[in-house]
Coordinates of all heavy atoms in Angstrom, one line a residue:
S174 N 10.9 -15.9 -1.1 CA 11.2 -14.9 -2.1 C 10.6 -13.6 -1.8 O 9.8 -13.5 -0.9 CB 10.7 -15.4 -3.5 OG 9.3 -15.2 -3.6
N175 N 11.1 -12.5 -2.4 CA 10.6 -11.2 -2.2 C 9.1 -11.1 -2.5 O 8.4 -10.3 -1.8 CB 11.4 -10.2 -2.9 CG 12.8 -10.0 -2.4 OD1 13.1 -10.4 -1.2 ND2 13.7 -9.5 -3.2
T176 N 8.7 -11.7 -3.6 CA 7.3 -11.6 -3.9 C 6.4 -12.3 -2.9 O 5.4 -11.7 -2.5 CB 7.0 -12.3 -5.3 OG1 7.9 -11.7 -6.3 CG2 5.6 -12.2 -5.7
T177 N 6.8 -13.4 -2.4 CA 6.0 -14.1 -1.3 C 6.0 -13.2 -0.1 O 4.9 -13.1 0.5 CB 6.6 -15.5 -1.0 OG1 6.6 -16.2 -2.2 CG2 5.8 -16.2 0.1
S178 N 7.1 -12.6 0.3 CA 7.1 -11.8 1.5 C 6.2 -10.6 1.3 O 5.5 -10.2 2.2 CB 8.6 -11.3 1.7 OG 9.4 -12.4 2.0
L179 N 6.2 -10.0 0.1 CA 5.3 -8.8 -0.1 C 3.9 -9.2 -0.1 O 3.1 -8.5 0.6 CB 5.7 -8.2 -1.5 CG 4.8 -7.0 -1.9 CD1 5.0 -5.9 -0.9 CD2 5.2 -6.6 -3.3
V180 N 3.5 -10.3 -0.7 CA 2.1 -10.8 -0.6 C 1.7 -11.1 0.8 O 0.6 -10.7 1.3 CB 1.9 -12.1 -1.5 CG1 0.6 -12.7 -1.3 CG2 2.1 -11.7 -3.0
E181 N 2.6 -11.7 1.6 CA 2.3 -12.0 3.0 C 2.1 -10.7 3.8 O 1.2 -10.6 4.6 CB 3.4 -12.9 3.6 CG 3.3 -14.3 3.1 CD 4.5 -15.1 3.6 OE1 5.4 -14.6 4.3 OE2 4.5 -16.3 3.4
A182 N 3.0 -9.7 3.5 CA 2.9 -8.5 4.2 C 1.6 -7.7 3.9 O 1.0 -7.2 4.8 CB 4.1 -7.6 3.9
V183 N 1.3 -7.6 2.7 CA 0.1 -6.9 2.3 C -1.2 -7.6 2.8 O -2.1 -7.0 3.3 CB 0.0 -6.7 0.7 CG1 -1.3 -6.1 0.3 CG2 1.2 -5.9 0.3
S184 N -1.2 -8.9 2.7 CA -2.3 -9.7 3.2 C -2.5 -9.5 4.7 O -3.6 -9.3 5.2 CB -2.2 -11.2 3.0 OG -2.1 -11.4 1.6
S185 N -1.4 -9.5 5.4 CA -1.4 -9.2 6.9 C -1.9 -7.8 7.2 O -2.7 -7.6 8.1 CB 0.0 -9.4 7.4 OG 0.0 -9.2 8.8
E186 N -1.5 -6.8 6.4 CA -2.0 -5.5 6.6 C -3.5 -5.4 6.4 O -4.2 -4.7 7.1 CB -1.3 -4.5 5.6 CG 0.2 -4.3 5.8 CD 0.4 -3.1 6.8 OE1 -0.4 -2.2 6.9 OE2 1.4 -3.2 7.5
I187 N -4.0 -6.0 5.4 CA -5.5 -6.0 5.1 C -6.2 -6.7 6.3 O -7.2 -6.1 6.7 CB -5.8 -6.7 3.8 CG1 -5.2 -5.9 2.6 CG2 -7.3 -6.9 3.6 CD1 -5.3 -6.7 1.3
I188 N -5.7 -7.8 6.8 CA -6.3 -8.5 7.9 C -6.3 -7.6 9.1 O -7.2 -7.5 9.9 CB -5.7 -9.9 8.1 CG1 -6.2 -10.7 6.9 CG2 -6.2 -10.4 9.4 CD1 -5.5 -12.1 6.9
M189 N -5.1 -6.9 9.4 CA -5.0 -6.0 10.5 C -6.1 -4.8 10.4 O -6.6 -4.4 11.4 CB -3.6 -5.4 10.6 CG -2.6 -6.4 11.1 SD -1.0 -5.8 11.5 CE -0.7 -4.5 10.4
T190 N -6.3 -4.4 9.2 CA -7.3 -3.3 8.9 C -8.7 -3.9 9.3 O -9.5 -3.2 9.9 CB -7.3 -2.9 7.5 OG1 -5.9 -2.3 7.2 CG2 -8.3 -1.8 7.2
L191 N -9.0 -5.1 8.9 CA -10.3 -5.7 9.2 C -10.5 -5.8 10.7 O -11.5 -5.6 11.3 CB -10.5 -7.0 8.5 CG -10.6 -7.0 7.0 CD1 -10.6 -8.4 6.5 CD2 -11.9 -6.3 6.7
K192 N -9.4 -6.2 11.4 CA -9.4 -6.3 12.9 C -9.7 -4.9 13.5 O -10.4 -4.8 14.5 CB -8.1 -6.9 13.4 CG -8.0 -8.3 13.1 CD -6.7 -8.9 13.6 CE -6.6 -10.4 13.3 NZ -5.4 -11.0 13.9
F193 N -9.1 -3.8 12.9 CA -9.3 -2.5 13.4 C -10.8 -2.1 13.2 O -11.4 -1.5 14.1 CB -8.4 -1.5 12.6 CG -8.8 -0.1 12.9 CD1 -8.3 0.6 14.0 CD2 -9.6 0.7 12.0 CE1 -8.6 1.9 14.3 CE2 -9.9 2.0 12.3 CZ -9.4 2.6 13.4
V194 N -11.4 -2.5 12.0 CA -12.8 -2.2 11.8 C -13.6 -2.9 12.8 O -14.6 -2.3 13.4 CB -13.1 -2.6 10.3 CG1 -14.7 -2.6 10.1 CG2 -12.5 -1.7 9.3
A195 N -13.3 -4.2 13.1 CA -14.1 -4.9 14.1 C -14.0 -4.3 15.5 O -15.0 -4.1 16.2 CB -13.7 -6.4 14.1
K196 N -12.8 -3.9 15.8 CA -12.6 -3.3 17.2 C -13.2 -1.9 17.3 O -13.7 -1.6 18.4 CB -11.0 -3.1 17.4 CG -10.6 -2.6 18.7 CD -9.1 -2.6 18.8 CE -8.7 -2.0 20.2 NZ -7.3 -1.9 20.3
T197 N -13.4 -1.2 16.3 CA -13.9 0.2 16.4 C -15.3 0.3 15.8 O -15.8 1.4 15.5 CB -12.9 1.2 15.7 OG1 -12.8 0.8 14.3 CG2 -11.6 1.2 16.3
K198 N -16.0 -0.8 15.6 CA -17.3 -0.8 14.9 C -18.3 0.1 15.7 O -19.1 0.8 15.0 CB -17.8 -2.2 14.8 CG -18.2 -2.9 16.1 CD -18.7 -4.3 15.9 CE -19.0 -4.9 17.2 NZ -19.4 -6.3 17.1
N199 N -18.3 0.1 17.0 CA -19.2 0.9 17.7 C -18.9 2.4 17.7 O -19.7 3.3 17.6 CB -19.3 0.4 19.2 CG -20.0 -0.9 19.3 OD1 -20.8 -1.3 18.4 ND2 -19.5 -1.7 20.2
K200 N -17.6 2.7 17.7 CA -17.1 4.1 17.7 C -17.5 4.8 16.4 O -17.9 5.9 16.4 CB -15.6 4.1 17.9 CG -15.0 5.5 17.9 CD -13.5 5.5 18.2 CE -13.0 6.9 18.2 NZ -11.5 6.9 18.4
Y201 N -17.3 4.0 15.3 CA -17.6 4.6 14.0 C -18.9 4.2 13.4 O -19.2 4.5 12.2 CB -16.4 4.3 13.0 CG -15.1 4.9 13.4 CD1 -14.1 4.1 13.9 CD2 -14.9 6.3 13.3 CE1 -12.9 4.7 14.3 CE2 -13.8 6.9 13.7 CZ -12.7 6.1 14.2 OH -11.6 6.7 14.6
F202 N -19.7 3.4 14.1 CA -21.0 2.9 13.7 C -21.0 2.1 12.4 O -21.8 2.3 11.5 CB -22.0 4.1 13.5 CG -22.1 4.9 14.7 CD1 -21.5 6.2 14.8 CD2 -22.8 4.5 15.8 CE1 -21.5 6.9 16.0 CE2 -22.9 5.3 17.0 CZ -22.3 6.5 17.1
W203 N -19.9 1.3 12.3 CA -19.8 0.5 11.1 C -20.6 -0.8 11.2 O -20.6 -1.4 12.3 CB -18.3 0.1 10.9 CG -17.5 1.2 10.5 CD1 -17.9 2.4 10.0 CD2 -16.1 1.3 10.6 NE1 -16.8 3.2 9.8 CE2 -15.7 2.6 10.2 CE3 -15.1 0.4 11.1 CZ2 -14.3 3.0 10.1 CZ3 -13.8 0.9 11.0 CH2 -13.4 2.1 10.6
N204 N -21.3 -1.2 10.2 CA -22.1 -2.4 10.1 C -21.1 -3.5 9.6 O -21.0 -3.7 8.4 CB -23.3 -2.3 9.3 CG -24.2 -3.6 9.3 OD1 -23.7 -4.6 9.8 ND2 -25.3 -3.5 8.8
I205 N -20.5 -4.3 10.5 CA -19.5 -5.3 10.1 C -20.2 -6.5 9.4 O -19.5 -7.4 9.0 CB -18.6 -5.6 11.2 CG1 -19.3 -6.3 12.3 CG2 -17.8 -4.4 11.7 CD1 -18.4 -6.9 13.4
D206 N -21.5 -6.6 9.4 CA -22.2 -7.7 8.7 C -22.4 -7.4 7.2 O -22.9 -8.2 6.5 CB -23.5 -8.0 9.4 CG -23.4 -8.4 10.8 OD1 -22.4 -9.1 11.1 OD2 -24.2 -8.1 11.6
Q207 N -22.0 -6.2 6.8 CA -22.2 -5.8 5.4 C -20.9 -5.5 4.6 O -20.9 -4.7 3.7 CB -23.1 -4.6 5.4 CG -24.5 -4.8 6.0 CD -25.3 -5.8 5.1 OE1 -25.2 -5.9 3.9 NE2 -26.0 -6.7 5.8
I208 N -19.8 -6.1 5.0 CA -18.5 -5.8 4.4 C -18.4 -6.7 3.1 O -18.6 -7.9 3.1 CB -17.4 -6.1 5.3 CG1 -17.4 -5.1 6.5 CG2 -16.0 -6.0 4.6 CD1 -16.4 -5.4 7.5
I209 N -18.1 -6.0 2.0 CA -17.9 -6.6 0.7 C -16.5 -6.3 0.3 O -16.1 -5.1 0.3 CB -18.9 -6.2 -0.3 CG1 -20.3 -6.6 0.2 CG2 -18.6 -6.8 -1.7 CD1 -21.4 -6.1 -0.7
F210 N -15.7 -7.3 -0.2 CA -14.4 -7.0 -0.7 C -14.4 -6.9 -2.2 O -15.1 -7.7 -2.8 CB -13.5 -8.3 -0.4 CG -12.5 -8.0 0.8 CD1 -12.7 -7.1 1.7 CD2 -11.4 -8.8 0.8 CE1 -11.9 -6.9 2.8 CE2 -10.5 -8.6 1.9 CZ -10.7 -7.7 2.8
T211 N -13.7 -6.0 -2.7 CA -13.6 -5.9 -4.2 C -12.3 -5.3 -4.6 O -11.6 -4.8 -3.7 CB -14.8 -5.0 -4.8 OG1 -14.8 -5.1 -6.2 CG2 -14.7 -3.6 -4.3
G212 N -11.9 -5.4 -5.8 CA -10.6 -4.9 -6.2 C -10.5 -5.0 -7.7 O -11.3 -5.7 -8.4
D213 N -9.5 -4.3 -8.2 CA -9.3 -4.4 -9.7 C -7.8 -4.7 -9.8 O -6.9 -4.2 -9.1 CB -9.6 -3.0 -10.3 CG -9.4 -3.0 -11.8 OD1 -9.6 -4.0 -12.4 OD2 -8.9 -2.0 -12.3
S214 N -7.5 -5.6 -10.8 CA -6.1 -6.0 -11.1 C -5.4 -6.6 -9.8 O -6.0 -7.5 -9.3 CB -5.3 -4.8 -11.6 OG -4.1 -5.2 -12.2
A215 N -4.3 -6.1 -9.5 CA -3.6 -6.6 -8.3 C -4.4 -6.5 -7.0 O -4.4 -7.4 -6.2 CB -2.2 -6.0 -8.1
G216 N -5.1 -5.4 -6.9 CA -6.0 -5.2 -5.7 C -7.1 -6.3 -5.6 O -7.4 -6.8 -4.6
G217 N -7.6 -6.7 -6.8 CA -8.6 -7.8 -6.8 C -8.0 -9.1 -6.4 O -8.6 -9.9 -5.7
H218 N -6.8 -9.4 -6.9 CA -6.1 -10.6 -6.5 C -5.8 -10.6 -5.0 O -6.0 -11.7 -4.3 CB -4.8 -10.8 -7.2 CG -4.9 -11.1 -8.7 ND1 -6.1 -11.5 -9.3 CD2 -4.0 -11.1 -9.7 CE1 -5.9 -11.7 -10.5 NE2 -4.6 -11.5 -10.8
L219 N -5.4 -9.5 -4.4 CA -5.1 -9.4 -3.0 C -6.4 -9.6 -2.2 O -6.5 -10.3 -1.2 CB -4.4 -8.1 -2.6 CG -3.0 -8.1 -3.1 CD1 -2.4 -6.7 -3.0 CD2 -2.1 -9.1 -2.3
A220 N -7.5 -8.9 -2.7 CA -8.8 -9.1 -2.0 C -9.3 -10.5 -2.0 O -9.8 -11.0 -1.0 CB -9.8 -8.1 -2.7
G221 N -9.1 -11.2 -3.2 CA -9.5 -12.6 -3.3 C -8.6 -13.5 -2.4 O -9.1 -14.4 -1.7
L222 N -7.3 -13.2 -2.3 CA -6.4 -14.0 -1.4 C -6.9 -13.8 0.0 O -7.0 -14.8 0.8 CB -5.0 -13.5 -1.6 CG -4.0 -14.2 -0.7 CD1 -3.9 -15.7 -0.8 CD2 -2.6 -13.5 -0.8
V223 N -7.1 -12.6 0.5 CA -7.5 -12.4 1.9 C -8.9 -13.0 2.1 O -9.1 -13.6 3.2 CB -7.5 -10.9 2.2 CG1 -8.1 -10.6 3.6 CG2 -6.1 -10.3 2.2
Y224 N -9.8 -12.9 1.2 CA -11.1 -13.6 1.3 C -10.9 -15.1 1.5 O -11.5 -15.7 2.4 CB -11.9 -13.3 0.1 CG -13.3 -13.9 0.1 CD1 -14.3 -13.3 0.9 CD2 -13.6 -15.0 -0.6 CE1 -15.6 -13.8 1.0 CE2 -14.9 -15.5 -0.6 CZ -15.9 -14.9 0.2 OH -17.1 -15.4 0.2
A225 N -10.0 -15.7 0.7 CA -9.7 -17.1 0.9 C -9.1 -17.4 2.2 O -9.4 -18.4 2.8 CB -8.9 -17.6 -0.3
I226 N -8.1 -16.6 2.6 CA -7.4 -16.8 3.9 C -8.4 -16.8 5.0 O -8.4 -17.7 5.9 CB -6.3 -15.8 4.1 CG1 -5.2 -16.0 3.2 CG2 -5.8 -15.8 5.6 CD1 -4.2 -14.8 3.2
I227 N -9.3 -15.8 5.0 CA -10.3 -15.7 6.1 C -11.3 -16.9 6.1 O -11.7 -17.4 7.2 CB -11.1 -14.4 6.0 CG1 -10.2 -13.2 6.3 CG2 -12.3 -14.4 6.9 CD1 -10.8 -11.9 5.9
K228 N -11.7 -17.4 4.9 CA -12.6 -18.5 4.8 C -12.0 -19.9 5.1 O -12.7 -20.8 5.4 CB -13.3 -18.5 3.4 CG -14.1 -17.3 3.1 CD -15.4 -17.4 3.9 CE -16.3 -16.3 3.4 NZ -17.6 -16.2 4.2
Q229 N -10.7 -20.0 5.0 CA -10.0 -21.3 5.1 C -9.0 -21.2 6.3 O -7.9 -20.7 6.1 CB -9.2 -21.6 3.8 CG -10.0 -21.6 2.6 CD -10.9 -22.8 2.5 OE1 -10.5 -23.9 2.9 NE2 -12.0 -22.8 1.8
P230 N -9.3 -21.8 7.4 CA -8.4 -21.8 8.6 C -7.0 -22.3 8.3 O -6.0 -21.8 8.8 CB -9.1 -22.7 9.6 CG -10.6 -22.6 9.2 CD -10.6 -22.5 7.7
E231 N -6.9 -23.3 7.4 CA -5.6 -23.8 7.1 C -4.7 -22.8 6.4 O -3.5 -22.8 6.5 CB -5.7 -25.1 6.3 CG -6.4 -25.0 5.0 CD -7.9 -25.3 5.0 OE1 -8.4 -25.3 6.2 OE2 -8.5 -25.4 4.0
L232 N -5.3 -21.9 5.6 CA -4.6 -20.8 5.0 C -4.1 -19.8 6.0 O -3.0 -19.2 5.8 CB -5.4 -20.1 3.9 CG -5.6 -20.9 2.6 CD1 -6.4 -20.1 1.6 CD2 -4.2 -21.2 2.0
C233 N -4.9 -19.6 7.1 CA -4.4 -18.7 8.1 C -3.1 -19.2 8.7 O -2.2 -18.4 9.0 CB -5.4 -18.6 9.3 SG -6.9 -17.7 8.8
K234 N -2.9 -20.5 8.8 CA -1.7 -21.1 9.3 C -0.6 -20.9 8.3 O 0.6 -20.5 8.6 CB -1.8 -22.6 9.6 CG -2.8 -22.9 10.7 CD -3.0 -24.4 10.9 CE -4.1 -24.6 11.9 NZ -4.4 -26.0 12.0
V235 N -0.9 -21.1 7.0 CA 0.2 -20.9 5.9 C 0.7 -19.5 5.9 O 1.9 -19.2 5.8 CB -0.4 -21.3 4.6 CG1 0.5 -20.9 3.4 CG2 -0.7 -22.8 4.5
Y236 N -0.2 -18.5 6.1 CA 0.1 -17.1 6.0 C 0.4 -16.5 7.4 O 0.7 -15.3 7.5 CB -0.9 -16.3 5.3 CG -0.9 -16.5 3.8 CD1 -1.7 -17.5 3.2 CD2 0.0 -15.8 3.0 CE1 -1.6 -17.7 1.8 CE2 0.0 -16.0 1.6 CZ -0.8 -17.0 1.1 OH -0.7 -17.2 -0.3
N237 N 0.4 -17.3 8.4 CA 0.7 -17.0 9.8 C -0.1 -15.7 10.2 O 0.5 -14.8 10.7 CB 2.2 -16.7 9.9 CG 2.7 -16.7 11.3 OD1 2.1 -17.3 12.2 ND2 3.7 -15.9 11.6
V238 N -1.4 -15.8 10.1 CA -2.3 -14.7 10.5 C -3.5 -15.3 11.3 O -3.8 -16.5 11.1 CB -2.8 -13.9 9.4 CG1 -1.7 -13.1 8.6 CG2 -3.6 -14.7 8.4
Q239 N -4.0 -14.5 12.2 CA -5.2 -14.8 12.9 C -6.4 -14.2 12.2 O -6.3 -13.0 11.9 CB -5.2 -14.4 14.3 CG -4.1 -15.1 15.2 CD -4.5 -16.5 15.4 OE1 -5.6 -16.9 15.6 NE2 -3.5 -17.4 15.3
P240 N -7.4 -14.9 11.9 CA -8.5 -14.2 11.1 C -9.2 -13.2 12.0 O -9.2 -13.2 13.2 CB -9.5 -15.4 10.9 CG -9.2 -16.4 11.9 CD -7.7 -16.3 12.2
P241 N -9.8 -12.1 11.4 CA -10.5 -11.1 12.1 C -11.8 -11.7 12.7 O -12.2 -12.7 12.3 CB -10.7 -10.0 11.1 CG -10.7 -10.8 9.8 CD -9.8 -11.9 9.9
E242 N -12.4 -10.9 13.6 CA -13.6 -11.4 14.2 C -14.8 -11.1 13.3 O -15.9 -11.3 13.8 CB -13.8 -10.6 15.6 CG -12.7 -11.0 16.6 CD -12.8 -10.2 17.8 OE1 -13.9 -9.5 18.0 OE2 -11.9 -10.2 18.6
I243 N -14.6 -10.6 12.2 CA -15.7 -10.4 11.2 C -15.5 -11.2 10.0 O -14.4 -11.7 9.7 CB -15.8 -8.9 10.8 CG1 -14.5 -8.4 10.2 CG2 -16.1 -8.0 12.0 CD1 -14.5 -6.9 9.8
M244 N -16.5 -11.5 9.3 CA -16.5 -12.2 8.1 C -16.8 -11.3 6.9 O -17.6 -10.4 7.1 CB -17.4 -13.4 8.1 CG -17.1 -14.4 9.2 SD -15.4 -15.1 9.1 CE -15.6 -16.1 7.6
I245 N -16.2 -11.6 5.8 CA -16.5 -10.8 4.6 C -17.8 -11.4 4.0 O -17.8 -12.6 3.8 CB -15.3 -10.9 3.6 CG1 -14.1 -10.4 4.3 CG2 -15.7 -10.1 2.3 CD1 -14.1 -9.0 4.8
R246 N -18.7 -10.6 3.7 CA -20.0 -11.1 3.2 C -19.9 -11.6 1.7 O -20.4 -12.6 1.4 CB -21.1 -10.0 3.3 CG -22.4 -10.4 2.8 CD -23.4 -9.3 3.1 NE -24.5 -9.4 2.1 CZ -25.1 -8.4 1.5 NH1 -24.7 -7.2 1.7 NH2 -26.0 -8.7 0.7
E247 N -19.2 -10.8 0.9 CA -19.1 -11.1 -0.5 C -17.7 -10.7 -1.0 O -17.0 -9.9 -0.4 CB -20.1 -10.4 -1.3 CG -21.6 -10.6 -1.0 CD -22.0 -12.0 -1.5 OE1 -21.4 -12.5 -2.5 OE2 -23.0 -12.5 -1.0
F248 N -17.3 -11.3 -2.1 CA -16.1 -11.0 -2.8 C -16.5 -10.7 -4.2 O -17.1 -11.5 -4.8 CB -15.0 -12.0 -2.7 CG -13.9 -11.8 -3.6 CD1 -13.0 -10.8 -3.5 CD2 -13.7 -12.7 -4.7 CE1 -12.0 -10.6 -4.4 CE2 -12.7 -12.5 -5.6 CZ -11.8 -11.4 -5.4
C249 N -16.0 -9.6 -4.8 CA -16.3 -9.3 -6.2 C -15.0 -8.8 -6.8 O -14.3 -7.9 -6.4 CB -17.3 -8.1 -6.2 SG -17.7 -7.5 -7.9
Y250 N -14.7 -9.5 -7.9 CA -13.5 -9.1 -8.7 C -13.9 -8.3 -9.9 O -14.8 -8.8 -10.7 CB -12.7 -10.3 -9.1 CG -11.4 -10.0 -9.9 CD1 -10.3 -9.5 -9.2 CD2 -11.4 -10.3 -11.2 CE1 -9.2 -9.2 -9.9 CE2 -10.2 -10.0 -11.9 CZ -9.1 -9.5 -11.2 OH -8.0 -9.2 -11.9
M251 N -13.4 -7.1 -10.0 CA -13.8 -6.3 -11.2 C -13.1 -6.7 -12.4 O -11.9 -6.9 -12.4 CB -13.4 -4.8 -10.9 CG -14.0 -4.3 -9.5 SD -15.7 -4.4 -9.4 CE -16.2 -3.1 -10.5
V252 N -13.8 -6.8 -13.5 CA -13.3 -7.2 -14.8 C -13.7 -6.2 -15.8 O -14.9 -5.8 -15.9 CB -13.8 -8.6 -15.2 CG1 -13.3 -9.0 -16.6 CG2 -13.4 -9.7 -14.2
E253 N -12.7 -5.7 -16.6 CA -13.0 -4.7 -17.6 C -13.3 -5.5 -18.9 O -12.5 -6.3 -19.4 CB -11.8 -3.8 -17.8 CG -12.1 -2.8 -18.9 CD -10.9 -1.8 -19.1 OE1 -10.1 -1.7 -18.1 OE2 -10.8 -1.2 -20.1
M254 N -14.5 -5.2 -19.4 CA -14.9 -5.8 -20.7 C -14.5 -4.9 -21.8 O -14.9 -3.7 -21.8 CB -16.4 -6.1 -20.7 CG -16.8 -7.0 -19.5 SD -16.0 -8.6 -19.6 CE -16.9 -9.4 -20.9
I255 N -13.8 -5.4 -22.8 CA -13.4 -4.5 -23.9 C -14.2 -4.9 -25.1 O -14.5 -5.9 -25.4 CB -11.9 -4.7 -24.2 CG1 -11.1 -4.3 -23.0 CG2 -11.5 -4.0 -25.4 CD1 -9.6 -4.6 -23.2

């Protein structure tokens, strides 16, 4: 479906960004041991999905991605309290 394709595409883009961060860590002096994922609303869902994909090798197969060489330290989903 179009929704599945969009989720796969966005997840793949996020993982490609993490690979870029890992590849350029020395150039930009990034500490890749301190990466925390967070998001709000749809961004939070996508951050959680990518976090799960990275942590679960079987999900990498489902989403047809290779995990980045870095691991996400934490995942935080933002919730608005009314």
Side-chain angles (χ1 to χ4, degrees):
S174 78
N175 289 340
T176 303
T177 301
S178 299
L179 180 60
V180 169
E181 289 174 354
V183 173
S184 299
S185 180
E186 290 272 335
I187 294 169
I188 291 172
M189 287 188 326
T190 301
L191 290 171
K192 289 179 180 183
F193 171 82
V194 169
K196 183 178 179 181
T197 61
K198 67 181 179 182
N199 294 329
K200 180 178 181 180
Y201 295 109
F202 306 103
W203 293 340
N204 183 350
I205 63 170
D206 295 326
Q207 297 296 321
I208 295 176
I209 298 174
F210 257 25
T211 189
D213 183 35
S214 192
H218 288 346
L219 289 168
L222 175 62
V223 171
Y224 182 76
I226 290 170
I227 291 169
K228 295 287 188 181
Q229 304 283 331
E231 58 272 10
L232 286 178
C233 289
K234 294 175 188 173
V235 171
Y236 286 93
N237 196 29
V238 296
Q239 294 294 320
E242 296 176 12
I243 57 179
M244 295 304 290
I245 305 302
R246 182 173 154 221
E247 298 286 336
F248 166 70
C249 175
Y250 182 72
M251 306 301 287
V252 178
E253 182 178 339
M254 300 301 285
I255 299 175

